[in-house]
Every structure is written in C-alpha cells, then in structure tokens.
Amino acid sequence: SFPTRRSSDLPIIENVEQWLQVQNADAVVWKVANEAAAKQVVDILAQGVAMPLIAAAPESMVSIYREQWQNMGAHAVLTDNDIEAV
C-alpha cells in the first residue's frame, strides 16, 4: 500500500520501497518497528537524504539507534511505543 498522506506533504513510511516513492516530499516520517527497519534507516542515511527524515520508533529501538541516526543525519528521532512490532 502507498504511504499514508497527511496535510502538507508528510508521508509516513515503513520500508525502502515506500522511501523510493516519496522523494518529492517536504519531509518523511519513517516508522521503525523492528531491527531490520532500523538498519534500513541507517543505510538510507548513509547514502545521504535530500529532505528531513524523522525516525519514529519504540523506546527499545530508540535507545539503541538514536545516537547513530542523529549522527548520520536524521532530523529528529521520536519515541512511539504504539509501533512496536507484534
């Protein structure tokens, strides 16, 4: 399914395939639900991002990855325990 759209162009995505579809967005929120998604964010940041990338992840992921994401260029890291993988 296509990423969720909100007013002003702020798509909410969950994977690399969706990332590739939102390259014209003003900013992107990446919902990080698991370790694989966390590593995808690292890979994308390593390539450089043209728009603000906001990582939203459960506290367990934020505690591990926040510093790395921010050091690599994430514009914000949000704690969202509602997106814990089931």
Side-chain angles (χ1 to χ4, degrees):
S1 66
F2 197 76
T4 306
R5 290 272 176 186
R6 295 228 173 132
S7 58
S8 78
D9 198 14
L10 185 65
I12 298 172
I13 65 166
E14 298 180 27
N15 58 52
V16 171
E17 292 73 28
Q18 292 175 344
W19 168 257
L20 296 173
Q21 297 172 26
V22 296
Q23 295 304 298
N24 295 321
D26 299 327
V28 175
V29 175
W30 194 315
K31 289 173 66 170
V32 180
N34 55 45
E35 194 80 23
K39 291 189 163 106
Q40 286 183 331
V41 173
V42 169
D43 291 343
I44 292 297
L45 289 169
Q47 296 169 29
V49 294
M51 85 286 283
L53 191 157
I54 300 157
E59 200 168 345
S60 56
M61 289 284 139
V62 168
S63 63
I64 297 168
Y65 285 96
R66 177 201 307 268
E67 196 170 315
Q68 184 177 13
W69 288 335
Q70 289 179 328
N71 288 343
M72 294 182 76
H75 288 70
V77 178
L78 307 176
T79 300
D80 185 350
N81 289 316
D82 293 336
I83 55 179
E84 195 89 58
V86 288

